[in-house]
């Protein structure tokens, strides 16, 4: 059974930084594209960033230049470094496999507020 565990969220002031982690269990992590998603209150879940097996990355326009996705296949973990955070980045952040979605984890709350 595949499951995902996100961590690293918290409360941060505008302009601050956070690093999220997501550990994957029960799947051959290194063979899969990984993605970070977010869901703000009252909004649809949206893809924030993705990283391929070959470490190619793609970002949504609203985080381009501020967020960086990376992966450590030895640890079955994907990361999201978030810099220059804005209040509109406030959301629950999740990871998953964009081309074969599995059960969602509990997510990690990110709140950007002064």
């Amino acid at each position: 059974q595949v499951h995902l565990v996100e961590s690293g969220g918290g409360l941060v002031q505008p302009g601050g930084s956070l690093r999220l982690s997501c550990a994957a269990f029960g799947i051959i992590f290194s063979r899969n594209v990984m993605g970070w998603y977010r869901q703000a209150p009252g909004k649809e879940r949206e893809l924030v960033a993705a990283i391929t097996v070959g470490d190619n990355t793609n970002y949504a326009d609203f985080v381009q230049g501020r967020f960086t996705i990376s992966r450590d296949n030895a640890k079955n973990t994907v990361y999201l470094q978030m810099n220059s955070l804005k209040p509109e980045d406030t959301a629950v952040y999740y990871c998953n496999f964009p081309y074969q979605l599995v059960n969602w984890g509990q997510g990690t709350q990110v709140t950007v507020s002064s």
Side-chain angles (χ1 to χ4, degrees):
Q1 187 82 347
V2 178
H3 74 277
L4 304 167
V5 180
E6 300 93 349
S7 62
L11 172 64
V12 64
Q13 292 187 343
S17 297
L18 284 174
R19 188 190 193 211
L20 307 184
S21 299
C22 168
F25 302 91
I27 192 168
I28 302 176
F29 177 86
S30 61
R31 297 181 184 175
N32 291 277
V33 176
M34 286 297 300
W36 278 98
Y37 299 76
R38 72 185 186 186
Q39 187 168 21
K43 295 189 176 182
E44 296 287 322
R45 190 172 293 168
E46 57 187 356
L47 181 63
V48 173
I51 184 166
T52 69
V53 171
D55 287 342
N56 292 312
T57 57
N58 281 288
Y59 299 93
D61 288 344
F62 50 81
V63 303
Q64 185 75 42
R66 300 188 298 124
F67 291 10
T68 303
I69 188 171
S70 60
R71 63 192 297 160
D72 185 337
N73 291 333
K75 296 181 179 180
N76 275 19
T77 300
V78 62
Y79 304 97
L80 186 68
Q81 177 67 44
M82 305 188 297
N83 299 327
S84 302
L85 283 161
K86 304 175 181 181
E88 51 264 42
D89 294 319
T90 295
V92 180
Y93 284 72
Y94 304 86
C95 66
N96 214 312
F97 302 91
Y99 293 110
Q100 54 171 95
L101 292 175
V102 299
N103 289 335
W104 295 93
Q106 83 288 350
T108 186
Q109 175 71 49
V110 171
T111 302
V112 184
S113 175
S114 55

